[in-house]
Amino acid sequence: MEYVNLPLIFLIGCALIALLAKKNGYSWYLFFFAIAVPAPLLLLALPHLLGVETASLNGVRLAASLLFPVAGLLLALRHKS
């Protein structure tokens, strides 16, 4: 199995969500940074918030890294009023 660059996939996904937000009238660059920047910071804070054992679980890390992009996707699908 070949190596998949997950941070690159994450950034491409955030960029696609930002382009969808631009289509619906939002500022794409502010939207991109609002969904891409907090995820790594949350991953760094997880061991302090949940403890090392819980934070090292794959499900917890996956949920934390997808929290902001999924929230951004839901907001990007709404039309700006």
Side-chain angles (χ1 to χ4, degrees), residues 7-64:
L8 182 62
I9 298 296
F10 174 78
L11 290 175
I12 289 172
C14 290
L16 291 174
I17 293 170
L19 289 176
L20 178 65
K22 179 183 176 189
K23 181 182 152 225
N24 288 333
Y26 294 99
S27 171
W28 69 270
Y29 53 90
L30 290 177
F31 212 86
F32 175 79
F33 287 112
I35 60 178
V37 171
L41 299 175
L42 180 61
L43 286 174
L44 289 173
L46 278 180
H48 303 287
L49 298 173
L50 301 175
V52 176
E53 295 84 18
T54 307
S56 64
L57 296 172
N58 286 335
V60 172
R61 290 185 0 225
L62 181 65

Side-chain angles (χ1 to χ4, degrees), residues 63-75:
S65 63
L66 293 179
L67 175 70
F68 289 102
V70 168
L73 180 62
L74 293 175
L75 286 175

